[in-house]
Amino acid sequence: AADTAGTDAGVCSSPSPPTGCLGVIDGLLADCPHGGRLPRGGAGCTSSQDDTPGIFAEPWDYSDAPASAAYFADTRGSVDRLVDDVLRACVRIAERRGAPPPSVVRREGRYLRLRFDDAGSSSSTGEFYITPDDTTVQFRIAAEEAGGGGAVKNIDRAESIRKELRFMKLPVMRNRQRVFFFGESPFDTFGSGSASLGPPAEMTAGDMEGRDEPDPKV
């Protein structure tokens, strides 16, 4: 069965939770808020499980990280160490930027939720999920304020955390339908975000067709 962790009590713990619930539901983080046809980075949000242009960022692979040998045991202790390392990396990034250390909002098994406080009373919620049976970290970082602007700040934050951990970007298949034959553009359309497709184990072969390789550069 797919993981469910870190969900808030009540409606978000129901069998059919509404869009936007925080936590992992059936192995998936929530999609980011979407607005309009052109990419806007809804609510200053970036996610490794939402294909939308301006929002998507590749998940992380820790198989070649310096501390990977300690993670591979896949015991409760090794998962705890991996979550600890993600938290410590977030703290170090905040310190270098002169920001307060992130506060732990929720920690449950493979799931970690943090609150990042930035200058000017701006804040974001970061979610990190260590998926079982592989070496992947999925994440979602979103501004808490309504109309939080573009996702550039949180894309940069996520990339800084990844580099601090010395994890690799994991190439994935994306459901892009290009408007122009010669390359990608802001007018390309995407299929539903991964959260709306259901748990990965329940996705059909058709869900994976017609997807382009993303840029695997690190």
Side-chain angles (χ1 to χ4, degrees), residues 41-208:
C45 182
T46 185
S47 171
S48 61
Q49 291 186 324
D50 188 329
D51 284 345
T52 307
I55 288 175
F56 175 77
E58 292 93 339
W60 307 334
D61 177 11
Y62 59 82
S63 58
D64 291 325
S68 61
Y71 304 148
F72 282 145
D74 199 28
T75 63
R76 174 64 181 271
S78 63
V79 171
D80 285 347
R81 173 167 178 170
L82 182 49
V83 174
D84 284 342
D85 285 354
V86 172
L87 174 57
R88 282 193 286 263
C90 293
V91 170
R92 290 194 295 268
I93 294 298
E95 289 175 346
R96 285 203 288 270
R97 295 182 175 187
S103 55
V104 177
V105 178
R106 187 155 187 169
R107 178 170 178 168
E108 182 179 327
R110 299 175 174 275
Y111 174 80
L112 176 67
R113 188 190 308 168
L114 303 176
R115 186 175 192 269
F116 298 96
D117 292 311
D118 300 313
S121 71
S122 174
S123 58
S124 295
T125 296
E127 299 179 274
F128 304 89
Y129 173 51
I130 317 302
T131 60
D133 304 320
D134 58 26
T135 58
T136 305
V137 180
Q138 303 284 358
F139 59 88
R140 179 184 186 272
I141 309 177
E144 295 182 354
E145 297 79 15
V152 174
K153 176 184 72 175
N154 281 326
I155 289 175
D156 176 68
R157 190 198 308 275
E159 183 67 357
S160 296
I161 296 168
R162 181 191 69 80
K163 290 179 177 178
E164 184 72 19
L165 288 161
R166 299 175 68 180
F167 291 173
M168 302 290 289
K169 291 181 181 178
L170 180 66
V172 298
M173 304 294 280
R174 299 175 65 195
N175 192 12
R176 177 187 288 271
Q177 297 179 0
R178 294 180 179 177
V179 172
F180 304 111
F181 174 77
F182 51 80
E184 297 184 356
S185 79
F187 298 97
D188 296 347
T189 58
F190 279 64
S192 302
S194 57
S196 65
L197 294 175
E202 297 177 8
M203 291 182 187
T204 66
D207 293 332
M208 297 301 294

